[in-house]
């Protein structure tokens, strides 16, 4: 009987551990959803979804002629689009708390050197993604919309749809946010020992060509937005090379085995 009870106890231990992890994951997801909900309702009451969307659409409205306006074609579009924009802003505001919940769930299962590298990477990737969105909003949108508006014939009245504008902006935000993650990706690859600074320098011409190809695919067919995406990607690639040089595992002169380096 003692052996059977011991075996049952050993079998139940992994199940209890798995269930406890599921419970913790559920709790942290709920906390994240509550955080987004709190920020969303705060933005709903002040400044309101309409004002949030007006700020969101400011680069386009500033580039349009005085007689032109943004229109809503769908029946529920005037309500749903500002709602979606407010939800997106709420998620971005609550993003640090969400990432902390994800980190608190994952960190106990990591080694000490993984925790030392993981937290800075999470912070850096978040800041770079937000920086990419800010760069797109404040520096790129104004130039792109003015460039596009300058080609409109005088016989054409510009009346962009708010839902089409939302789709366009989300695509641009995603493209620039991910493009600004280049240094983080290079650091991870270098830390894993898959690449080093010398190899990245060899790949520089290929990356430059790839950056312009990606910019041509994901941005509108104008030179301004393509250069605005490709040039920062190339500059961030150079920054990634410098960071990869710091974190790459170093090779001992005598043993020929990789040392811990920056870990």
């Amino acid at each position: 009987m003692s052996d059977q009870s011991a075996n049952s106890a050993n079998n139940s231990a992994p199940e209890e551990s798995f269930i406890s992890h599921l419970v913790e994951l559920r709790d942290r997801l709920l906390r994240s959803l509550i955080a987004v909900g709190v920020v969303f309702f705060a933005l709903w009451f002040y400044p309101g979804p309409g004002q949030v969307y007006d700020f969101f659409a400011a680069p386009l409205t500033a580039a349009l002629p005085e007689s032109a306006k943004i229109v809503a074609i769908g029946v529920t579009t005037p309500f749903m689009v500002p709602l979606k924009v407010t939800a997106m802003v709420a998620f971005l505001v609550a993003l640090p708390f969400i990432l902390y919940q994800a980190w608190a769930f994952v960190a106990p299962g990591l080694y000490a050197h993984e925790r030392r590298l993981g937290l800075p990477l999470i912070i850096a990737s978040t800041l770079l993604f937000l920086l990419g969105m800010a760069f797109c909003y404040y520096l790129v949108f104004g130039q792109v919309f003015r460039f596009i508006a300058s080609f409109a014939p005088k016989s054409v009245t510009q009346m962009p749809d708010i839902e089409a504008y939302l789709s366009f902006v989300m695509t641009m935000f995603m493209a620039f946010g991910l493009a600004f993650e280049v240094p983080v990706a290079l650091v991870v690859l270098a830390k894993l020992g898959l690449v080093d600074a010398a190899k990245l320098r060899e790949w520089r011409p290929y990356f430059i060509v790839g950056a312009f190809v990606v910019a041509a695919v994901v941005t509108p067919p104008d030179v301004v937005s393509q250069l605005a995406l490709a040039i920062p990607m190339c500059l961030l690639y150079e920054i990634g090379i410098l960071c990869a040089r710091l974190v790459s595992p170093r090779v001992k002169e005598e043993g020929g085995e990789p040392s811990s380096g920056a870990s």
Side-chain angles (χ1 to χ4, degrees), residues 216-229:
V217 172
V218 302
T219 59
D222 65 277
V223 179
V224 176
S225 58
Q226 293 175 9
L227 291 177
L229 180 59

Side-chain angles (χ1 to χ4, degrees), residues 10 12 35 48 57 64 81 85 88 98 106 150 176 181-184 196 198 202 204 207 224 235 244 249 258 261:
N10 293 331
S12 62
L64 292 176
V81 172
V85 174
M88 180 190 71
I98 296 172
V106 174
S150 65
F176 277 84
E181 299 292 334
V182 169
V184 175
D196 55 17
E202 293 180 7
R204 181 187 289 124
F207 181 85
V224 176
L235 296 176

Side-chain angles (χ1 to χ4, degrees), residues 112-245:
H113 69 279
E114 292 175 337
R115 287 196 295 270
R116 286 196 300 268
L117 180 65
L119 187 57
L121 284 178
I122 291 176
I123 296 174
S125 61
T126 304
L127 293 178
L128 285 173
F129 192 88
L130 296 177
L131 181 62
M133 293 179 61
F135 177 83
C136 182
Y137 178 86
Y138 287 104
L139 298 179
V140 177
F141 278 165
Q143 300 297 327
V144 170
F145 294 143
R146 282 193 293 269
F147 180 82
I148 294 174
S150 65
F151 280 86
K154 294 183 179 180
S155 59
V156 175
T157 301
Q158 299 181 56
M159 301 178 66
D161 176 53
I162 60 173
E163 194 165 12
Y165 176 70
L166 173 63
S167 176
F168 170 80
V169 169
M170 292 297 294
T171 302
M172 294 288 286
F173 278 166
M174 187 64 64
F176 277 84
L178 293 178
F180 273 61
E181 299 292 334
V182 169
V184 175
L186 297 184
V187 167
V188 172
L189 292 176
K191 190 64 179 178
L192 294 175
L194 300 177
V195 296
D196 55 17
K199 182 64 68 175
L200 293 174
R201 284 193 292 269
E202 293 180 7
W203 291 349
R204 181 187 289 124
Y206 304 102
F207 181 85
I208 293 174
V209 174
F212 278 90
V213 171
V214 171
V217 172
V218 302
T219 59
D222 65 277
V223 179
V224 176
S225 58
Q226 293 175 9
L227 291 177
L229 180 59
I231 293 176
M233 286 180 67
C234 296
L235 296 176
L236 290 167
Y237 186 81
E238 298 298 326
I239 296 175
I241 292 176
L242 296 177
C243 296
R245 186 178 179 182

